[in-house]
Amino acid sequence: MEENKRWSAADFAALLWAALHLYASVQAFLHSLYQTYTSWTWVLLAVWLLGLLALDGWLAGGRPGLLRFVKWYWAFSAALAAGVILAAELDLIHDVNGFLIFGVLCSFLTPLNQLLAFTWLLFKWMAGLPGMSRYGVGCGAALFVCLLHFLYFAWLHHRAKER
């Protein structure tokens, strides 16, 4: 029983990635207000993405408790991304109001800001598309990534419980 209460290297890696995620999310948000992404922002976002991919691979053999937490984190992120898309479609975010403040605060927990930066890079520099289509694609990409991660970690959690 005591063995389950000890932190593993995967637990520490997940905690370090969460700190990196929060920092990268705030930086991406601050720079996206004026689309002034700097070289440092892109390096930070690349480190965030590589860290996410490494953590995804590392957690493949993780304990059920950690996998359950990560699974529900991604479900929460997918629900928030869907909520942002729905609020934007219903025109609930048109001025500084409760929806906007809640959405911005929740965006720091989800990969929305990071994925918006990547889609901004892809569509502005590579395709020259206008801003609104880039934002819609970014929100859709965030929802897609969150749903994929949720399904992946739900499968890993199920597999770990069977062991």
Side-chain angles (χ1 to χ4, degrees), residues 9-158:
D11 294 330
F12 282 115
L15 188 63
L16 285 174
W17 182 83
L20 173 66
H21 169 78
L22 187 59
Y23 182 72
S25 185
V26 169
Q27 290 300 314
F29 175 77
L30 292 176
H31 290 284
S32 72
L33 289 176
Y34 304 106
Q35 301 309 224
T36 57
Y37 298 113
T38 63
S39 297
W40 167 246
T41 308
W42 293 118
V43 168
L44 181 64
L45 289 170
V47 168
W48 173 84
L49 182 61
L50 292 174
L52 175 64
L53 295 174
L55 189 63
D56 287 350
W58 194 358
L59 292 179
R63 294 188 335 256
L66 177 61
L67 291 172
R68 182 179 53 244
F69 175 78
V70 174
K71 171 183 77 170
W72 289 116
Y73 164 77
W74 285 106
F76 174 74
S77 295
L80 285 175
V84 167
I85 293 170
L86 181 64
E89 286 298 317
L90 295 175
D91 200 25
L92 297 174
I93 304 174
H94 51 78
D95 200 5
V96 176
N97 59 21
F99 287 111
L100 178 64
I101 293 169
F102 179 73
V104 168
L105 291 175
C106 290
S107 74
F108 295 132
L109 300 175
T110 67
L112 180 64
N113 294 326
Q114 291 91 329
L115 293 171
L116 285 175
F118 285 125
T119 56
W120 179 85
L121 172 69
L122 179 67
F123 290 105
K124 178 164 178 22
W125 286 358
M126 295 182 181
L129 293 176
M132 287 311 289
S133 64
R134 288 192 311 266
Y135 185 76
V137 169
C139 289
L143 178 60
F144 181 70
V145 167
C146 292
L147 285 174
L148 280 179
H149 272 87
F150 171 71
L151 293 173
Y152 174 66
F153 283 107
W155 174 72
L156 287 177
H157 180 241
H158 177 72

